[in-house]
Amino acid sequence: MIKSLKIVLVIFLGFSFFFSSCTEQEEKVDFVVNDQAVARLDSTLQAYVNSGNVAGISALIFEKDQEVYFNAFGFANKEKNIPMDRNTIVQIYSMTKPITGTALMTLYEEGKFKLDDPLEKYAPEFANMKVYQGVNENGEMILVDAERPVTIRDITRHTAGFPNRDNIPGLSEVMKEKDARSYENTLTVMAEKIGSTPLWFQPGTQWEYGQSVDVQAFLVERISGIPYGDYVQEHVLGALNMNDTRYVVREEDLDRFSAAYQRTGEGQLTQMPDSSAHEFNLKKWPLTPGGFGLTSTLDDYMTFARMLVNEGTLNGTTILKPETVKLMATNHLPDSVTERSWLPSKGRVGFGIDFAVRTDLPASAEEMNGVVGEFFWDGAASTLFWVDPVNELTAVMFVQLFPYDGIKLHKNFRDAVYGKISVKPTP
């Protein structure tokens, strides 16, 4: 009897050990960011600093609600010998946009507007828009009536038609003269200037990056009756305890504020003067833009990303409903919108509400890596973040480098996370 019990016990312990080992192996296999990925990330980011193409760089990744990677390399400020760190403050430029879209969609959830409502319903500044058709022999603009009003959906997916280039004969001169994005303009003055500038193309017919998200900030202000800066603070930043994300960097935090760098050639960096690079963030201006202007830290922006991967709720605080996050992360560009400027350089993507949305896997090893269903955006100083709902993964990568990613930083960072793309040869 005792012998039989010993045999049973040995068998039980053996099975327990076997299943425990299998479980541990499954957990390791199940994570995208495993030991190999961590090694790839470290070597990739360190190499950019070692080559002299980046002064400082940092990255933070969460997977399945766990921190799976953090590291920082190089300097936030080489002149002052300040290392890049976890609490370094950077300018996030267009990574401001998804925060603005989130603020806007809190009003959508309250039933304050519908996506296909005409913008002019809430903002008469955008009524009776004219559309550019070129210039005549005298250099005067040829204009026609808009075939339909600009909608709120248009300003969330960049199909409004707002011009954003400096080489459109006649129209670019008007844009420059109006200077809608002057820091001295309030959002209302900005909207008046954009609304009185002809559209570059008929609403809904092309994708063209531009001033749409600044108009979203104006719309939040107009619909809520609350200054945009106060609204986004109350409903997004403050609610998530993103205490280092703001337009103006406090004086006591300036030693954490990363310098900006201009890359002028291979391994050649010039530190830009803080007085010009940080001009917008050193004092309070009348303009509170929705498309740029915020500063943040890795942990703050990761908080925002984790809220999104958790379908709108984080640490017991709900910012958006799951169905709203899904709506934002759904491609809203119809196939008829074939002219998409540089958007295809981001990979096989469409566009949702202030996010690029990956619709297909990469077809070649040269394309941007990622998974279908991922949504993301980046910033002018080469910053990047994405939300990968499939793997419950969120990644934030900070750097302060101009011009925007001319060194395949985003491509190589993504490859380090997921492993290099393996494409099957066509039979």
Side-chain angles (χ1 to χ4, degrees):
M1 181 66 177
I2 293 174
K3 187 176 180 181
S4 298
L5 285 173
K6 285 182 177 179
I7 293 171
V8 170
L9 182 60
V10 168
I11 293 171
F12 173 75
L13 290 173
F15 273 112
S16 297
F17 177 78
F18 173 76
F19 283 116
S20 174
S21 298
C22 288
T23 301
E24 288 177 9
Q25 288 175 2
E26 285 172 2
E27 285 178 357
K28 288 181 180 178
V29 170
D30 198 32
F31 274 74
V32 171
V33 183
N34 52 25
D35 292 344
Q36 291 80 13
V38 169
R40 288 195 303 264
L41 284 159
D42 281 348
S43 62
T44 297
L45 301 184
Q46 182 70 70
Y48 276 108
V49 174
N50 291 348
S51 68
N53 286 303
V54 164
I57 189 166
S58 60
L60 179 63
I61 303 172
F62 271 67
E63 188 173 354
K64 294 176 175 56
D65 220 24
Q66 299 178 40
E67 181 177 320
V68 291
Y69 183 82
F70 162 73
N71 215 336
F73 302 90
F75 293 92
N77 190 312
K78 291 184 75 172
E79 286 185 353
K80 296 180 180 178
N81 204 38
I82 300 173
M84 196 75 171
D85 205 348
R86 187 162 185 147
N87 69 346
T88 297
I89 296 169
V90 307
Q91 294 169 291
I92 61 173
Y93 289 93
S94 286
M95 279 168 58
T96 301
K97 289 177 168 72
I99 294 174
T100 303
T102 298
L104 178 67
M105 294 307 283
T106 63
L107 293 170
Y108 171 85
E109 287 191 346
E110 293 176 10
K112 300 293 188 181
F113 67 88
K114 295 178 181 177
L115 285 176
D116 290 317
D117 282 346
L119 180 57
E120 64 189 57
K121 177 178 179 180
Y122 310 93
E125 292 89 343
F126 296 91
N128 304 314
M129 297 292 289
K130 300 292 184 180
V131 179
Y132 175 83
Q133 298 288 291
V135 294
N136 62 21
E137 62 274 11
N138 297 320
E140 299 165 334
M141 288 192 297
I142 303 169
L143 304 175
V144 298
D145 292 336
E147 294 173 359
R148 67 160 176 81
V150 173
T151 65
I152 295 176
R153 191 186 301 273
D154 285 322
I155 66 169
T156 64
R157 65 182 186 182
H158 295 287
T159 57
F162 301 139
N164 191 41
R165 301 191 185 190
D166 59 7
N167 60 352
I168 310 170
L171 186 54
S172 292
E173 287 80 0
V174 172
M175 287 176 56
K176 185 176 180 181
E177 181 183 343
K178 289 183 180 290
D179 196 14
R181 275 182 163 180
S182 166
Y183 300 165
E184 299 288 357
N185 291 335
T186 63
L187 286 174
T188 298
V189 171
M190 177 205 74
E192 290 169 352
K193 290 176 179 289
I194 295 173
S196 61
T197 301
L199 300 176
W200 187 25
F201 52 82
Q202 290 289 347
T205 61
Q206 296 184 36
W207 187 93
E208 178 69 24
Y209 205 54
Q211 300 167 319
S212 288
V213 192
D214 297 315
V215 176
Q216 287 179 44
F218 160 73
L219 188 62
V220 168
E221 189 167 290
R222 174 63 58 85
I223 291 175
S224 69
I226 299 170
Y228 175 70
D230 294 341
Y231 189 93
V232 72
Q233 177 62 38
E234 178 182 349
H235 293 270
V236 184
L237 305 178
L240 289 171
N241 293 317
M242 295 170 63
N243 299 320
D244 276 327
T245 304
R246 53 175 66 90
Y247 287 115
V248 181
V249 177
R250 297 176 303 198
E251 187 172 351
E252 60 266 32
D253 293 329
L254 288 176
D255 60 341
R256 293 197 285 133
F257 196 8
S258 176
Y261 292 86
Q262 187 86 27
R263 181 176 175 272
T264 56
E266 177 59 31
Q268 298 176 342
L269 291 174
T270 301
Q271 186 165 326
M272 300 164 68
D274 289 347
S275 57
S276 56
H278 293 168
E279 181 184 11
F280 183 77
N281 303 111
L282 295 178
K283 74 172 218 179
K284 186 175 182 180
W285 296 90
L287 188 67
T288 52
F292 69 100
L294 287 177
T295 61
S296 192
T297 59
L298 275 178
D299 280 293
D300 262 22
Y301 211 89
M302 178 56 73
T303 295
F304 177 67
R306 291 178 64 207
M307 176 274 292
L308 293 168
V309 84
N310 284 302
E311 300 184 319
T313 297
L314 186 65
N315 298 329
T317 297
T318 296
I319 305 298
L320 295 172
K321 298 174 183 176
E323 54 266 35
T324 306
V325 175
K326 184 176 180 180
L327 180 65
M328 295 177 73
T330 298
N331 177 31
H332 290 238
L333 289 182
D335 291 342
S336 59
V337 178
T338 56
E339 178 53 58
R340 300 187 179 190
S341 185
W342 42 256
L343 185 61
S345 70
K346 306 290 184 186
R348 294 173 180 262
V349 302
F351 209 85
I353 296 175
D354 292 318
F355 300 108
V357 178
R358 190 175 299 278
T359 55
D360 290 292
L361 289 171
S364 74
E366 288 69 42
E367 288 187 18
M368 285 288 183
N369 213 334
V371 300
V372 174
E374 165 205 343
F375 52 106
F376 65 95
W377 206 234
D378 48 37
S382 306
T383 57
L384 171 68
F385 95 105
W386 73 82
V387 177
D388 169 357
V390 176
N391 296 297
E392 300 174 63
L393 183 150
T394 47
V396 182
M397 189 274 293
F398 276 176
V399 66
Q400 296 287 269
L401 180 68
F402 295 93
Y404 169 85
D405 192 16
I407 52 176
K408 296 188 176 180
L409 177 56
H410 293 185
K411 162 67 176 165
N412 291 330
F413 179 64
R414 285 177 169 278
D415 283 349
V417 172
Y418 291 108
K420 289 194 175 181
I421 299 167
S422 177
V423 179
K424 294 180 181 179
T426 305

